[in-house]
Amino acid sequence: MMIKHLCFNPFSENCYVLFDDSKEAVIIDPGCYSNFEKEALCKYIQENGLSIRHVLLTHIHIDHIFGTPYLKEHFNVSPEAHEEDLFLIEGSLRMAAMFGIPYKENIPFPCKYLKEGDRIFFGHSSLQVLHIPGHSPGSIAFYSEKDNAVFTGDALFAGSVGRTDLEGGDHSRLIQSIRDKLFTLPSHTKVYPGHGPMTDIETEKNYNPYL
């Protein structure tokens, strides 16, 4: 599986494009905000001849969903997310305004609700859904056992964990989720977070000061 990392918007959010030799692809957390960022994502998709099968959201905070209207319009693919985060769509414009970011687009509602244990298939690849609430009630991660990779959104970062002071956040629940769902993965599993650099499970188990 190929993994393309793109850093978007004023929050330096990590968007990932995953695909294999079938050219079927998924996009995780399309945070592209500016026209330049949207065009960069589109150009990458077109230049690599990719067919977008899924748009996956680790959670529904505004910095991770800026690009969902664009993908819906240009590729006719609606996002997929956990149902417990659905209430955050209504507050997404308010959150953008809170951070001083103009945004007036209509966020598309998920076309499918994802839950613990679900499998997402594309080409010869698949991802398993892990429900890791705490940063938000519906936070999820996407795990590929075959590729030793997990996409954790804003639950687990290199040397840190996600904030829990936003609506629906719960710090103790987040820490428990990380320990129960992420730290039980193989130690060599690579962690692709929603912000900041890549890390791995072993490093975070041994050196993350929040855990």
Side-chain angles (χ1 to χ4, degrees), residues 3 10 20 22 34 38 55 63 67 82 100-101 109 118 120 123 127 138 159 161 168 180 184 186 188 193 196 211:
I3 301 172
D20 57 28
S22 73
S34 68
K38 294 172 185 175
V55 173
D63 52 326
H82 197 284
I101 298 175
F109 278 75
D118 281 352
I120 296 123
L127 298 169
V161 298
D180 291 348
T184 54
H188 60 274
L211 295 158

Side-chain angles (χ1 to χ4, degrees), residues 1 15 26-28 32 64 72 86-87 92 96 98 101 105 107 109 117 134 142 151 154-155 158 171 185 192 202 211:
M1 183 173 69
C15 168
V26 302
I27 299 175
I28 298 177
C32 42
H64 291 253
K72 173 66 174 176
L86 192 60
F87 76 100
S92 58
M98 181 176 74
I101 298 175
E105 297 190 56
I107 301 296
F109 278 75
F142 301 102
F151 301 84
D154 288 3
H171 182 75
L185 299 177
Y192 294 84
E202 182 175 15
L211 295 158

Side-chain angles (χ1 to χ4, degrees), residues 61-92:
H61 283 159
I62 189 64
D63 52 326
H64 291 253
I65 64 173
F66 277 128
T68 54
Y70 177 83
L71 292 175
K72 173 66 174 176
E73 178 182 355
H74 286 77
F75 297 96
N76 195 33
V77 183
S78 295
E80 301 171 35
H82 197 284
E83 189 172 11
E84 287 189 47
D85 262 13
L86 192 60
F87 76 100
L88 291 170
I89 291 181
E90 296 180 359
S92 58

Side-chain angles (χ1 to χ4, degrees), residues 90-163:
E90 296 180 359
S92 58
L93 299 183
R94 185 174 65 251
M95 181 178 286
M98 181 176 74
F99 288 103
I101 298 175
Y103 189 78
K104 297 182 179 180
E105 297 190 56
N106 293 320
I107 301 296
F109 278 75
C111 64
K112 180 181 180 181
Y113 296 127
L114 302 173
K115 63 184 184 301
E116 173 78 19
D118 281 352
R119 284 268 180 189
I120 296 123
F121 295 94
F122 58 105
H124 312 299
S125 304
S126 69
L127 298 169
Q128 179 184 351
V129 175
L130 306 175
H131 185 207
I132 47 172
H135 176 65
S136 71
S139 286
I140 52 180
F142 301 102
Y143 173 55
S144 171
E145 181 179 6
K146 176 182 176 182
D147 295 280
N148 302 312
V150 63
F151 301 84
T152 59
D154 288 3
L156 179 64
F157 303 127
S160 187
V161 298
R163 62 188 296 175

